[in-house]
Amino acid sequence: TACSSSAKVFASAQRAMQAGLCDAAVVGGVDSLCGTTLYGFNSLQLLSADICRPADAQRNGISIGEAAGFALLETDDGNAAAPLLLGYGESSDAHHMSTPDPDGRGAAQAMQAALRRAGLDPAQIGYINLHGTGTQANDLSEDRGVCALFGERTPCSSTKGWSGHTLGAAGILEAVFSLLCIEQGLLPRSLTTLNKDPLLRAEILLESRSAPLRHVLSNSFGFGGSNCSLVFGAAR
């Protein structure tokens, strides 16, 4: 679905290269803001009349953004300066058309598959870029999936407070955020989260901080429980 589509392109491209079908691929996504999108999400009662507040106790919906992004994905040719796509994971929990599995099982499956392909343990992930839409159900479901797999100590945040939810471009935009975090050693705060929901147990960053990062996981989830997680690694 649109929310996870540009993340799934990474997964499709990596599969194609591993199968020897190509040695490079341009991946990305774009979504434009239009009346149909606004009215559609409003009819689902998912839009917030305020700014988007992921993980906040008073969160009440998404704020739609507009973005486009592209990246060149190549087979590992020994380029020591290039960041790495280490793994991907996908799942479809099909719990409900617009509501995720409340226990986050589909999210956890996608994250676990990404870690398995990357050959990493949960403890090796230094930061998680959450899907973090700012709706009550989505944030709680993702939190449960994250805590089931990583516990409550892995730093994480949603960057949608900075960009809005860019729908079909969210996966590529947040992949770029993740790569910048690795490059700059930055753990960004959840910008518009003022009072963390006490029901959420994950370590949501309320202040940005600097720290060396080797591995980052980025989540992109969509309608119908169509989930995709990507693991990125620092250049060798």
PDB file of all heavy atoms in Angstrom, residues 149-165:
ATOM      1  N   LEU A 149      10.249  -7.097  20.490  1.00  0.00           N
ATOM      2  CA  LEU A 149      11.473  -7.538  19.823  1.00  0.00           C
ATOM      3  C   LEU A 149      12.724  -6.910  20.419  1.00  0.00           C
ATOM      4  O   LEU A 149      13.747  -7.575  20.598  1.00  0.00           O
ATOM      5  CB  LEU A 149      11.377  -7.210  18.331  1.00  0.00           C
ATOM      6  CG  LEU A 149      12.470  -7.766  17.404  1.00  0.00           C
ATOM      7  CD1 LEU A 149      12.559  -9.279  17.518  1.00  0.00           C
ATOM      8  CD2 LEU A 149      12.182  -7.357  15.962  1.00  0.00           C
ATOM      9  N   PHE A 150      12.665  -5.621  20.747  1.00  0.00           N
ATOM     10  CA  PHE A 150      13.849  -4.880  21.174  1.00  0.00           C
ATOM     11  C   PHE A 150      13.878  -4.567  22.671  1.00  0.00           C
ATOM     12  O   PHE A 150      14.895  -4.091  23.182  1.00  0.00           O
ATOM     13  CB  PHE A 150      13.938  -3.549  20.413  1.00  0.00           C
ATOM     14  CG  PHE A 150      14.195  -3.694  18.948  1.00  0.00           C
ATOM     15  CD1 PHE A 150      13.143  -3.768  18.047  1.00  0.00           C
ATOM     16  CD2 PHE A 150      15.495  -3.769  18.460  1.00  0.00           C
ATOM     17  CE1 PHE A 150      13.376  -3.908  16.685  1.00  0.00           C
ATOM     18  CE2 PHE A 150      15.734  -3.910  17.112  1.00  0.00           C
ATOM     19  CZ  PHE A 150      14.678  -3.982  16.207  1.00  0.00           C
ATOM     20  N   GLY A 151      12.775  -4.784  23.367  1.00  0.00           N
ATOM     21  CA  GLY A 151      12.704  -4.320  24.736  1.00  0.00           C
ATOM     22  C   GLY A 151      12.404  -2.827  24.768  1.00  0.00           C
ATOM     23  O   GLY A 151      11.912  -2.265  23.796  1.00  0.00           O
ATOM     24  N   GLU A 152      12.739  -2.191  25.882  1.00  0.00           N
ATOM     25  CA  GLU A 152      12.359  -0.792  26.086  1.00  0.00           C
ATOM     26  C   GLU A 152      13.547   0.159  26.099  1.00  0.00           C
ATOM     27  O   GLU A 152      13.420   1.302  26.525  1.00  0.00           O
ATOM     28  CB  GLU A 152      11.589  -0.672  27.411  1.00  0.00           C
ATOM     29  CG  GLU A 152      10.349  -1.545  27.463  1.00  0.00           C
ATOM     30  CD  GLU A 152       9.655  -1.519  28.811  1.00  0.00           C
ATOM     31  OE1 GLU A 152       9.927  -0.582  29.601  1.00  0.00           O
ATOM     32  OE2 GLU A 152       8.843  -2.434  29.081  1.00  0.00           O
ATOM     33  N   ARG A 153      14.723  -0.291  25.589  1.00  0.00           N
ATOM     34  CA  ARG A 153      15.926   0.514  25.735  1.00  0.00           C
ATOM     35  C   ARG A 153      16.493   1.039  24.424  1.00  0.00           C
ATOM     36  O   ARG A 153      17.431   1.850  24.432  1.00  0.00           O
ATOM     37  CB  ARG A 153      17.001  -0.306  26.455  1.00  0.00           C
ATOM     38  CG  ARG A 153      16.596  -0.805  27.834  1.00  0.00           C
ATOM     39  CD  ARG A 153      16.432   0.319  28.827  1.00  0.00           C
ATOM     40  NE  ARG A 153      17.698   1.019  29.048  1.00  0.00           N
ATOM     41  CZ  ARG A 153      18.626   0.629  29.912  1.00  0.00           C
ATOM     42  NH1 ARG A 153      18.433  -0.465  30.650  1.00  0.00           N
ATOM     43  NH2 ARG A 153      19.730   1.312  30.073  1.00  0.00           N
ATOM     44  N   THR A 154      15.983   0.602  23.284  1.00  0.00           N
ATOM     45  CA  THR A 154      16.529   1.052  22.003  1.00  0.00           C
ATOM     46  C   THR A 154      15.962   2.426  21.655  1.00  0.00           C
ATOM     47  O   THR A 154      14.741   2.586  21.565  1.00  0.00           O
ATOM     48  CB  THR A 154      16.192   0.059  20.874  1.00  0.00           C
ATOM     49  OG1 THR A 154      16.727  -1.222  21.204  1.00  0.00           O
ATOM     50  CG2 THR A 154      16.789   0.524  19.555  1.00  0.00           C
ATOM     51  N   PRO A 155      16.814   3.441  21.448  1.00  0.00           N
ATOM     52  CA  PRO A 155      16.316   4.781  21.122  1.00  0.00           C
ATOM     53  C   PRO A 155      15.513   4.770  19.823  1.00  0.00           C
ATOM     54  O   PRO A 155      15.898   4.124  18.844  1.00  0.00           O
ATOM     55  CB  PRO A 155      17.602   5.610  20.964  1.00  0.00           C
ATOM     56  CG  PRO A 155      18.657   4.843  21.691  1.00  0.00           C
ATOM     57  CD  PRO A 155      18.290   3.396  21.544  1.00  0.00           C
ATOM     58  N   CYS A 156      14.405   5.482  19.816  1.00  0.00           N
ATOM     59  CA  CYS A 156      13.581   5.543  18.619  1.00  0.00           C
ATOM     60  C   CYS A 156      12.798   6.852  18.595  1.00  0.00           C
ATOM     61  O   CYS A 156      12.630   7.514  19.609  1.00  0.00           O
ATOM     62  CB  CYS A 156      12.632   4.345  18.532  1.00  0.00           C
ATOM     63  SG  CYS A 156      11.625   4.057  19.994  1.00  0.00           S
ATOM     64  N   SER A 157      12.338   7.210  17.423  1.00  0.00           N
ATOM     65  CA  SER A 157      11.519   8.410  17.263  1.00  0.00           C
ATOM     66  C   SER A 157      10.834   8.352  15.917  1.00  0.00           C
ATOM     67  O   SER A 157      11.213   7.578  15.038  1.00  0.00           O
ATOM     68  CB  SER A 157      12.367   9.689  17.368  1.00  0.00           C
ATOM     69  OG  SER A 157      13.312   9.758  16.309  1.00  0.00           O
ATOM     70  N   SER A 158       9.824   9.176  15.763  1.00  0.00           N
ATOM     71  CA  SER A 158       9.170   9.365  14.467  1.00  0.00           C
ATOM     72  C   SER A 158       9.633  10.693  13.888  1.00  0.00           C
ATOM     73  O   SER A 158       9.611  11.717  14.574  1.00  0.00           O
ATOM     74  CB  SER A 158       7.655   9.373  14.627  1.00  0.00           C
ATOM     75  OG  SER A 158       7.033   9.770  13.411  1.00  0.00           O
ATOM     76  N   THR A 159      10.050  10.672  12.628  1.00  0.00           N
ATOM     77  CA  THR A 159      10.447  11.917  11.959  1.00  0.00           C
ATOM     78  C   THR A 159       9.281  12.565  11.227  1.00  0.00           C
ATOM     79  O   THR A 159       9.466  13.564  10.540  1.00  0.00           O
ATOM     80  CB  THR A 159      11.612  11.659  10.988  1.00  0.00           C
ATOM     81  OG1 THR A 159      11.301  10.547  10.144  1.00  0.00           O
ATOM     82  CG2 THR A 159      12.890  11.347  11.752  1.00  0.00           C
ATOM     83  N   LYS A 160       8.074  12.014  11.389  1.00  0.00           N
ATOM     84  CA  LYS A 160       6.920  12.610  10.718  1.00  0.00           C
ATOM     85  C   LYS A 160       6.519  13.951  11.331  1.00  0.00           C
ATOM     86  O   LYS A 160       5.777  14.715  10.729  1.00  0.00           O
ATOM     87  CB  LYS A 160       5.747  11.633  10.706  1.00  0.00           C
ATOM     88  CG  LYS A 160       5.952  10.470   9.732  1.00  0.00           C
ATOM     89  CD  LYS A 160       4.763   9.536   9.696  1.00  0.00           C
ATOM     90  CE  LYS A 160       4.915   8.493   8.590  1.00  0.00           C
ATOM     91  NZ  LYS A 160       6.011   7.541   8.837  1.00  0.00           N
ATOM     92  N   GLY A 161       6.994  14.232  12.534  1.00  0.00           N
ATOM     93  CA  GLY A 161       6.794  15.560  13.093  1.00  0.00           C
ATOM     94  C   GLY A 161       7.559  16.621  12.323  1.00  0.00           C
ATOM     95  O   GLY A 161       7.187  17.796  12.322  1.00  0.00           O
ATOM     96  N   TRP A 162       8.631  16.211  11.658  1.00  0.00           N
ATOM     97  CA  TRP A 162       9.431  17.128  10.848  1.00  0.00           C
ATOM     98  C   TRP A 162       8.870  17.270   9.433  1.00  0.00           C
ATOM     99  O   TRP A 162       8.937  18.346   8.834  1.00  0.00           O
ATOM    100  CB  TRP A 162      10.877  16.621  10.741  1.00  0.00           C
ATOM    101  CG  TRP A 162      11.574  16.421  12.039  1.00  0.00           C
ATOM    102  CD1 TRP A 162      11.525  15.310  12.857  1.00  0.00           C
ATOM    103  CD2 TRP A 162      12.421  17.354  12.715  1.00  0.00           C
ATOM    104  NE1 TRP A 162      12.296  15.499  13.978  1.00  0.00           N
ATOM    105  CE2 TRP A 162      12.858  16.741  13.918  1.00  0.00           C
ATOM    106  CE3 TRP A 162      12.859  18.642  12.408  1.00  0.00           C
ATOM    107  CZ2 TRP A 162      13.713  17.368  14.818  1.00  0.00           C
ATOM    108  CZ3 TRP A 162      13.714  19.267  13.309  1.00  0.00           C
ATOM    109  CH2 TRP A 162      14.130  18.641  14.498  1.00  0.00           C
ATOM    110  N   SER A 163       8.342  16.192   8.888  1.00  0.00           N
ATOM    111  CA  SER A 163       7.991  16.162   7.463  1.00  0.00           C
ATOM    112  C   SER A 163       6.506  15.997   7.177  1.00  0.00           C
ATOM    113  O   SER A 163       6.079  16.205   6.040  1.00  0.00           O
ATOM    114  CB  SER A 163       8.736  15.001   6.785  1.00  0.00           C
ATOM    115  OG  SER A 163       8.283  13.751   7.295  1.00  0.00           O
ATOM    116  N   GLY A 164       5.714  15.615   8.177  1.00  0.00           N
ATOM    117  CA  GLY A 164       4.375  15.141   7.896  1.00  0.00           C
ATOM    118  C   GLY A 164       4.450  13.726   7.343  1.00  0.00           C
ATOM    119  O   GLY A 164       5.537  13.182   7.103  1.00  0.00           O
ATOM    120  N   HIS A 165       3.299  13.119   7.149  1.00  0.00           N
ATOM    121  CA  HIS A 165       3.247  11.773   6.573  1.00  0.00           C
ATOM    122  C   HIS A 165       3.187  11.933   5.061  1.00  0.00           C
ATOM    123  O   HIS A 165       2.171  12.363   4.507  1.00  0.00           O
ATOM    124  CB  HIS A 165       2.014  11.031   7.093  1.00  0.00           C
ATOM    125  CG  HIS A 165       2.032   9.563   6.783  1.00  0.00           C
ATOM    126  ND1 HIS A 165       2.730   9.020   5.726  1.00  0.00           N
ATOM    127  CD2 HIS A 165       1.428   8.510   7.406  1.00  0.00           C
ATOM    128  CE1 HIS A 165       2.563   7.721   5.697  1.00  0.00           C
ATOM    129  NE2 HIS A 165       1.773   7.386   6.721  1.00  0.00           N
TER     130      HIS A 165
END
